[in-house]
Amino acid sequence: MTDALLIPCPHCHGLNRIPAARLGDAPRCGRCKNPVLPGRPFAVDAAGFAAQLKGDLPLLLDVWADWCGPCKAFAPVFEQAARELGGRLRLAKLDSEAEPQLAGQLGIRSIPSLILFRDGREVARQSGALPLPQLLAWLHQQGV
């Protein structure tokens, strides 16, 4: 990692420059004062999606819907992954029912779907719910 990382705020989407050594210190956004790395997945919508792709930490996007049983079963696993992987990547959730245009733009054909973005580009995709050990192994294969 470089000395300072650019990380978009999950609340106001402002870019924050955070020293790599301070990622574990619960950094706050310089603009809105909310946590930049909340330690849990944050919701993303079409308006803020492009801003969340910016920055130096990878983004793992969980595309889900409220009516989807496997999505609901996977939610606690995704929450736990966010706690374990804080500072190495950011985890976000996209409600495909609330944002059908963005889900279509991303080529979502089944849910839950996981998409890993690095440097603003998709680098890996996984369909279906995974247990935590498999999710962590898949992310490790992707270099996270």
Side-chain angles (χ1 to χ4, degrees):
M1 281 201 238
T2 61
D3 189 42
L5 301 173
L6 285 177
I7 302 173
C9 174
H11 306 280
C12 72
H13 310 301
L15 278 178
N16 292 272
R17 185 177 306 277
I18 301 171
R22 305 277 324 258
L23 290 178
D25 296 343
R28 295 202 167 265
C29 178
R31 182 188 299 171
C32 73
K33 308 303 182 215
N34 283 302
V36 174
L37 300 170
R40 58 182 306 242
F42 60 91
V44 70
D45 58 17
F49 179 69
Q52 291 305 318
L53 292 180
K54 297 176 183 175
D56 297 322
L57 281 184
L59 175 71
L60 180 60
L61 184 67
D62 173 20
V63 184
W64 68 286
D66 191 47
W67 52 263
C68 169
C71 297
K72 288 184 175 186
F74 181 64
V77 172
F78 203 64
E79 288 267 346
Q80 189 174 354
R83 287 190 299 272
E84 289 191 23
L85 297 168
R88 290 195 291 172
L89 91 154
R90 298 170 304 120
L91 286 84
K93 295 180 77 67
L94 172 68
D95 183 347
S96 63
E97 289 291 305
E99 300 288 346
Q101 188 170 2
L102 180 55
Q105 191 178 334
L106 292 170
I108 300 302
R109 301 213 189 298
S110 65
I111 54 175
S113 283
L114 298 172
I115 307 173
L116 181 63
F117 294 93
R118 186 177 286 125
D119 299 322
R121 294 188 334 243
E122 178 179 333
V123 294
R125 185 179 289 233
Q126 172 72 41
S127 293
L130 298 172
L132 185 62
Q134 278 186 299
L135 174 60
L136 296 176
W138 178 72
L139 288 169
H140 183 70
Q141 288 174 347
Q142 309 310 319
V144 175

